[in-house]
Amino acid sequence: MFQSVRKNQKSTDVPVVLVAEGITVAFGGFVAVKGMNLKLHEHDLHFLIGPNGAGKTTMLDVICGKTKPLSGTVKMADGADLTRLKEHQIVRKGVGRKFQAPSIFAGLTVQENLTLAAEARRSPLQALGIQRYSKISPAMERITLQIGLQDRVNARAGALSHGEKQWLEIGMLLLQEPRVLLLDEPAAGMTDEETHKTGRLLQEIARERSVVVVEHDMEFVREYAAKVTVMHEGKLLKEGTMAEVQEDPRVAEVYLGKRRDDHAVAATN
Ligand SMILES: Nc1ncnc2c1ncn2[C@@H]1O[C@H](COP(=O)(O)OP(=O)(O)OP(=O)(O)O)[C@@H](O)[C@H]1O
């Protein structure tokens, strides 16, 4: 029922979770992002696409606090401006970031990795042992099922397949209960089956959170994106559904002009 209501809702009816406005980022003299805006709603599965060097990753870096913009704001629903906060404070505000290379502990088991992630969310007092997880908690159990690693809890993370490692890291982020999850090419290097599992996992996560994905694989975007923002040369070029984005001749032009390969939006339709 929840989903059918959502389907009929206009995006304007859905609460806004985060608004980035007028973001400008310079590296030395080079302006990589120029006055970029991005608005996230609850339950968004929002893909950020664009040619190489468009500024997509830089936008994620600004939201999670890794990069500070020259100007602009990133406001959460409570009015907090993330550009004024440190990275760990932004995590506490509910923004989780997954980079391309998984940051898991290869020598620990799946369960141990998840336990560490769960502990990281707790306050120092809790971490001192008031209520330690002695075994798998209900939240961990639910997330282990969600990421499909329920039969691998005792496997060493280093022994997992590439896809499983990525899902483990997503699970570790979910244990921090982010409101916004930022992912950089989550399906890169995966088999077709792993790619589809990842797409379905992201759809499921978006039922409870907002998800932003930087992506080059247009098949993946077409199949799983609810909303697409196209960036070009540091600016917003187009925003809409994948169908709307593909119909825009400017989008075809920036892809055909810069990337005559499998990823080209126009060439795949
Ligand atoms: N730390 C940095 N120092 C200098 N230039 C940088 C830095 N980070 C990014 N850039 C430059 O900023 C521009 C935007 O980079 P960014 O990685 O955000 O683009 P992107 O759209 O994510 O590209 P790709 O799809 O290739 O990953 C590029 O020209 C890049 O070379």
Side-chain angles (χ1 to χ4, degrees):
M1 186 190 109
F2 179 58
Q3 273 188 312
S4 64
V5 171
R6 274 180 48 209
K7 232 180 195 172
N8 296 329
Q9 269 179 329
K10 288 184 193 150
S11 66
T12 47
D13 300 332
V14 183
V16 172
V17 175
L18 180 148
V19 181
E21 255 177 351
I23 299 295
T24 295
V25 178
F27 296 111
F30 173 67
V31 183
V33 175
K34 301 163 190 157
M36 180 68 191
N37 300 326
L38 188 70
K39 189 185 276 188
L40 297 182
H41 294 87
E42 275 181 17
H43 313 299
D44 266 350
L45 182 44
H46 193 140
F47 278 63
L48 209 47
I49 67 170
N52 291 114
K56 308 177 293 292
T57 300
T58 304
M59 271 307 284
L60 294 198
D61 288 347
V62 167
I63 296 170
C64 76
K66 184 168 174 251
T67 296
K68 292 297 172 197
L70 211 55
S71 58
T73 56
V74 180
K75 294 210 170 152
M76 298 289 282
D78 66 359
D81 181 359
L82 303 186
T83 65
R84 294 172 179 275
L85 302 182
K86 301 210 162 62
E87 279 181 82
H88 70 273
Q89 294 172 313
I90 294 174
V91 170
R92 293 231 169 247
K93 278 276 169 204
V95 176
R97 168 80 187 273
K98 183 188 175 318
F99 294 90
Q100 250 179 311
S103 51
I104 55 177
F105 297 95
L108 301 182
T109 66
V110 166
Q111 185 175 330
E112 286 164 346
N113 270 280
L114 291 169
T115 303
L116 273 180
E119 293 284 349
R121 177 173 167 76
R122 297 147 75 81
S123 71
L125 253 187
Q126 286 173 314
L128 275 174
I130 288 173
Q131 214 186 349
R132 296 184 74 86
Y133 291 111
S134 54
K135 54 182 183 186
I136 200 157
S137 70
M140 276 170 63
E141 197 168 353
R142 187 170 79 91
I143 284 167
T144 308
L145 267 175
Q146 194 175 15
I147 59 176
L149 295 184
Q150 66 278 12
D151 297 329
R152 307 283 276 143
V153 283
N154 295 318
R156 271 194 336 107
L160 298 177
S161 73
H162 171 69
E164 288 172 333
K165 284 179 185 157
Q166 304 290 331
W167 302 328
L168 173 58
E169 193 183 6
I170 291 175
M172 290 165 73
L173 284 169
L174 290 177
L175 276 165
Q176 293 169 20
E177 295 172 24
R179 295 194 67 193
V180 176
L181 192 59
L182 311 171
L183 303 111
D184 218 328
E185 297 196 59
M190 287 189 180
T191 63
D192 284 352
E193 197 190 332
E194 287 176 334
T195 299
H196 286 300
K197 267 190 173 177
T198 303
R200 289 193 295 270
L201 174 60
L202 298 184
Q203 285 178 325
E204 208 181 308
I205 293 169
R207 286 193 204 147
E208 297 180 325
R209 308 168 203 284
S210 306
V211 181
V212 185
V213 185
V214 164
E215 191 54 70
H216 278 295
D217 179 344
M218 288 306 146
E219 285 301 325
F220 189 63
V221 179
R222 202 183 330 281
E223 193 145 356
Y224 295 104
K227 193 169 182 186
V228 178
T229 292
V230 187
M231 286 186 73
H232 177 50
E233 294 179 346
K235 294 186 190 152
L236 174 73
L237 181 69
K238 174 81 181 176
E239 199 162 79
T241 62
M242 187 57 174
E244 287 165 349
V245 157
Q246 277 181 294
E247 276 167 15
D248 190 318
R250 294 171 310 155
V251 174
E253 197 183 310
V254 300
Y255 270 95
L256 288 173
K258 302 232 176 213
R259 296 170 57 91
R260 293 179 183 277
D261 61 20
D262 301 343
H263 299 319
V265 170
T268 53
N269 199 22

